[in-house]
Amino acid sequence: MEMQQANGESHGSHSRETGDGMAQRERWGAMAFHPTRIPVPRFSGVDKQRFLHELYPLRKPAVLTDLDLGACKTQWSLDYMSRRGGERQVKIHVSELPQMDFIQKNFLYRSLPFNVFVQRAAENKHRDFFISEDIADIATQFPELAADIQIPEFFQKDQFFSSVFRISSPGLQLWTHYDVMDNLLIQVTGKKRVVLYSPRDAPYLYLSGDKSEVLDVDKPDLAKYPLFSQARRYECTLHAGDVLFIPALWFHNTVAEEFGVGVNVFWKHLTPEFYDRTDTYGNKDLTAASRATQILDRALKTLDELPEEYKDFYARKMVLRVQAKAYSANYE
């Protein structure tokens, strides 16, 4: 109740703007948002050889259909999952809004018995609070359910990092972010829309760490995020039995169009020395990238010693040097 009141007061408050500022926002608001939409290609009956030799080297998303996923497609009903998962405690995200925002942290972490969580996640309207998604590794915590699903063997066993439940309430939208590992999003039941953006479009996504500040990708605030309209939007809808390959560094945003159960499988497609050994959740940048970022921060702090005109000039020179030395022409 207190959170609802606080949100209501925040939404109902107003601030004064200058005439020019209001006019500019009105002009941006009047502009229709028509993003470039690129359908994610679909491939039927892909085996390991075809995946590794034809699709994997492209480093682009692909929807894989008609794969043998095991008994999960027919068995993972609400009652079945509640019985098999039992009363063991699981950590979840709780949010009053369907659009989860990891930057503003509009959610709380809570724990629930798994059987209670599954039942509540399936509700269209929640009596107490909105339940979202994310449960830890199913292989260790839920072996009874993990035995039902056959994960496509598109990587070596020693590359495996984690398998994570994605149990989503209707309407839940997960923030736009990237992962440093390749992954398969296996949609076992329900339907989910996925919007993706190429790593090359990062300059248009207004990043904060590994996340985009643009929360609503369908109706973005172009006055605040004008470059977002330049981002190419890859899009697909996952139905029960579909598997989406999401290459590392590809930004993705998901919306559960109905209650659904899925499994995310992550693996290390690079050799182990590239990854942070302390990374238990698979969301830390590669060690070399982290070191480079620290060096850059120190360089920028050094530029602060210069007068503004000189700081601006040498910063632009640094950008040109980075583009010349590090940008690749091998990717779209």
Side-chain angles (χ1 to χ4, degrees):
M1 180 64 69
E2 290 179 355
M3 289 182 63
Q4 291 175 348
Q5 289 175 346
N7 287 339
E9 291 170 359
S10 175
H11 293 160
S13 64
H14 298 276
S15 60
R16 300 181 63 86
E17 291 187 86
T18 64
D20 291 343
M22 292 179 63
Q24 184 179 18
R25 290 189 64 86
E26 289 174 359
R27 285 196 297 271
W28 279 108
M31 294 178 60
F33 178 59
H34 299 293
T36 300
R37 297 175 183 267
I38 305 173
V40 176
R42 302 175 70 88
F43 301 91
S44 176
V46 175
D47 60 13
K48 182 176 182 178
Q49 285 293 107
R50 187 182 177 194
F51 178 78
L52 291 179
H53 290 89
E54 296 182 23
L55 303 181
Y56 199 57
L58 298 177
R59 309 301 299 161
K60 289 186 176 182
V63 177
L64 312 177
T65 65
D66 304 318
L67 297 180
D68 182 7
L69 301 178
C72 59
K73 288 176 60 177
T74 55
Q75 289 189 348
W76 280 8
S77 65
L78 282 176
D79 290 340
Y80 177 85
M81 294 191 70
S82 296
R83 291 198 312 272
R84 299 289 284 177
E87 297 183 354
R88 69 194 71 182
Q89 293 287 313
V90 293
K91 294 181 180 179
I92 62 174
H93 293 92
V94 178
S95 174
E96 297 214 15
L97 301 175
Q99 287 183 329
M100 294 179 64
D101 182 352
F102 203 87
I103 297 175
Q104 300 298 325
K105 295 291 194 299
N106 67 343
F107 57 86
L108 300 173
Y109 292 103
R110 291 291 183 266
S111 295
L112 277 181
F114 180 78
N115 54 1
V116 175
F117 163 70
V118 172
Q119 295 290 336
R120 295 190 63 165
E123 297 173 353
N124 287 313
K125 293 184 178 180
H126 305 284
R127 293 183 297 274
D128 298 320
F129 48 71
F130 187 93
I131 298 297
S132 65
E133 64 174 77
D134 281 5
I135 304 176
D137 190 352
I138 67 170
T140 55
Q141 290 194 350
F142 297 95
E144 307 92 342
L145 291 170
D148 295 334
I149 185 168
Q150 182 170 314
I151 296 172
E153 296 182 350
F154 291 162
F155 51 89
Q156 299 298 323
K157 290 184 178 180
D158 61 354
Q159 293 178 286
F160 174 82
F161 180 77
S162 67
S163 58
V164 183
F165 259 132
R166 301 293 183 189
I167 300 178
S168 308
S169 294
L172 174 73
Q173 183 169 19
L174 196 62
W175 55 86
T176 304
H177 68 284
Y178 69 85
D179 299 299
V180 298
M181 299 181 191
D182 287 350
N183 75 87
L184 296 175
L185 175 54
I186 303 171
Q187 191 68 23
V188 179
T189 68
K191 185 168 62 172
K192 178 173 288 185
R193 188 200 73 178
V194 186
V195 173
L196 305 103
Y197 301 96
S198 166
R200 262 55 68 184
D201 284 350
Y204 313 131
L205 298 180
Y206 297 88
L207 299 185
S208 176
D210 62 344
K211 306 161 190 69
S212 170
E213 294 181 5
V214 184
L215 188 60
D216 191 339
V217 298
D218 299 308
K219 297 179 181 178
D221 184 349
L222 293 181
K224 188 175 182 180
Y225 308 113
L227 296 179
F228 184 74
S229 61
Q230 300 182 44
R232 294 164 297 173
R233 174 186 176 121
Y234 292 74
E235 187 170 330
C236 64
T237 298
L238 299 181
H239 301 270
D242 287 345
V243 178
L244 175 61
F245 167 53
I246 306 177
L249 307 183
W250 273 77
F251 298 88
H252 45 286
N253 177 295
T254 66
V255 177
E257 296 188 352
E258 56 192 33
F259 169 73
V261 178
V263 175
N264 244 166
V265 183
F266 296 86
W267 70 91
K268 297 180 179 181
H269 67 293
L270 302 175
T271 51
E273 66 268 17
F274 282 97
Y275 299 96
D276 189 329
R277 293 182 179 180
T278 66
D279 187 3
T280 57
Y281 296 101
N283 58 4
K284 290 186 178 181
D285 284 320
L286 303 182
T287 53
S290 297
R291 291 198 309 270
T293 300
Q294 293 172 359
I295 295 170
L296 176 60
D297 288 341
R298 290 197 295 269
L300 293 174
K301 187 174 181 180
T302 302
L303 285 183
D304 285 337
E305 300 173 10
L306 297 173
E308 181 179 6
E309 178 183 1
Y310 288 83
K311 176 183 176 180
D312 179 271
F313 172 73
Y314 286 107
R316 293 176 188 273
K317 281 192 66 178
M318 290 173 62
V319 170
L320 293 174
R321 185 173 178 83
V322 169
Q323 291 176 339
K325 294 289 186 179
Y327 278 26
S328 172
N330 295 327
Y331 302 99
E332 294 183 6

